[in-house]
């Protein structure tokens, strides 16, 4: 299985190609994620991990589109893109001035051609990101990672899981990050007829 740890930092993983633009972390591949094309073949990877990377790149829509297209290009058909990002309602997102883009689960649903086609048929008011970006990613899983203080409240019996989910929708700093997995649907077929 070919695996890419993109933006690895110092979290280099055995059995993965570890790529980063920070030479001090001594990656296998020294590269700038926002310089295109990337030094990888089409359909090269079964799995790409971007752990706390995507929120740092693509400040402009053109750059974000290019990053997402490169991810789509280097993934094999059915390949998995695993993304960890800070939750937009957590201080860890807003505290880092290098963060340029926030994400919600809906962001990744918007990159699905099947979802876009359904929304088009229903005349829904969403941005059809799959078409706008030229990608097709099917959501495999989305996990909210709760802040340790809230995990401890649940462990102590101060709140149950239902209460935790409700708090996550109403209060800041409950969900610390999102872990999302999407699958590359290939080949890209363009707009539905």
């Amino acid at each position: 299985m070919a695996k890419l740890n993109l933006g690895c930092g110092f979290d280099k993983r055995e059995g993965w190609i570890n790529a980063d633009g920070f030479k001090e972390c001594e990656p296998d591949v020294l590269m700038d994620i926002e310089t295109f094309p990337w030094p990888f073949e089409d359909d090269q990877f079964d799995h790409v991990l971007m752990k706390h990377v995507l929120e740092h790149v693509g400040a402009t829509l053109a750059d974000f589109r290019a990053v997402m297209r490169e991810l789509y290009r280097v993934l094999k058909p059915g390949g998995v893109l695993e993304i960890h990002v800070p939750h937009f309602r957590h201080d860890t997102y807003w505290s880092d001035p290098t963060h340029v883009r926030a994400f919600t689960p809906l962001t990744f649903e918007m990159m699905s051609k099947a979802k876009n086609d359904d929304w088009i048929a229903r005349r829904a008011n969403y941005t059809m990101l799959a078409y706008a970006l030229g990608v097709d990613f099917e959501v495999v899983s989305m996990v909210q990672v709760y802040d340790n203080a809230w995990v401890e409240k649940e462990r102590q019996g101060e709140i149950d899981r239902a209460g935790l989910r409700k708090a996550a929708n109403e209060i800041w700093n409950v969900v610390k990050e999102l872990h999302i997995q999407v699958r590359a649907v290939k080949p890209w077929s363009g707009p539905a007829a």
Side-chain angles (χ1 to χ4, degrees):
M1 210 167 126
K3 300 183 286 187
L4 174 62
N5 183 11
L6 186 59
C8 65
F10 292 98
D11 181 21
K12 294 194 301 188
R13 294 171 180 227
E14 186 77 26
W16 295 65
I17 294 174
N18 298 284
D20 203 285
F22 189 53
K23 68 180 179 184
E24 288 77 4
C25 64
E26 301 177 0
D28 304 319
V29 176
L30 183 63
M31 63 174 279
D32 177 354
I33 291 173
E34 293 183 305
T35 298
F36 313 103
W38 294 344
F40 306 114
E41 300 295 321
D42 293 357
D43 303 328
Q44 183 173 346
F45 297 104
D46 298 287
H47 193 132
V48 175
L49 171 64
M50 293 185 82
K51 185 176 174 188
H52 291 280
V53 176
L54 197 56
E55 69 273 17
H56 295 275
V57 298
T60 68
L61 180 57
D63 285 342
F64 182 70
R65 179 186 301 117
V67 168
M68 296 312 298
R69 283 184 176 172
E70 281 297 282
L71 286 164
Y72 187 72
R73 180 185 69 78
V74 303
L75 278 165
K76 291 179 179 177
V80 172
L81 171 59
E82 179 180 348
I83 300 164
H84 299 191
V85 291
H87 194 274
F88 72 99
R89 280 194 308 248
H90 197 277
D91 288 347
T92 56
Y93 176 77
W94 294 100
S95 299
D96 189 336
T98 67
H99 291 169
V100 299
R101 185 172 299 279
F103 298 94
T104 71
L106 180 59
T107 307
F108 299 96
E109 291 179 24
M110 294 168 82
M111 293 184 210
S112 162
K113 185 180 170 293
K115 282 277 192 196
N116 285 194
D117 289 344
D118 177 58
W119 292 335
I120 290 166
R122 292 188 294 117
R123 300 177 191 251
N125 192 21
Y126 292 106
T127 299
M128 306 304 163
L129 278 183
Y131 291 116
L133 303 178
V135 300
D136 191 1
F137 290 111
E138 171 187 274
V139 174
V140 175
S141 69
M142 290 192 218
V143 176
Q144 294 187 124
V145 178
Y146 294 104
D147 186 270
N148 288 339
W150 287 86
V151 170
E152 185 60 22
K153 286 179 187 223
E154 183 184 30
R155 194 184 72 70
Q156 297 278 339
E158 297 173 35
I159 193 168
D160 62 12
R161 186 51 57 134
L164 192 57
R165 287 188 187 112
K166 185 176 184 318
N169 290 323
E170 299 171 355
I171 303 171
W172 280 65
N173 293 316
V174 176
V175 178
K176 185 173 183 180
E177 59 189 59
L178 299 173
H179 294 184
I180 297 114
Q181 288 192 4
V182 295
R183 185 178 321 283
V185 178
K186 292 186 171 184
W188 166 253
S189 59

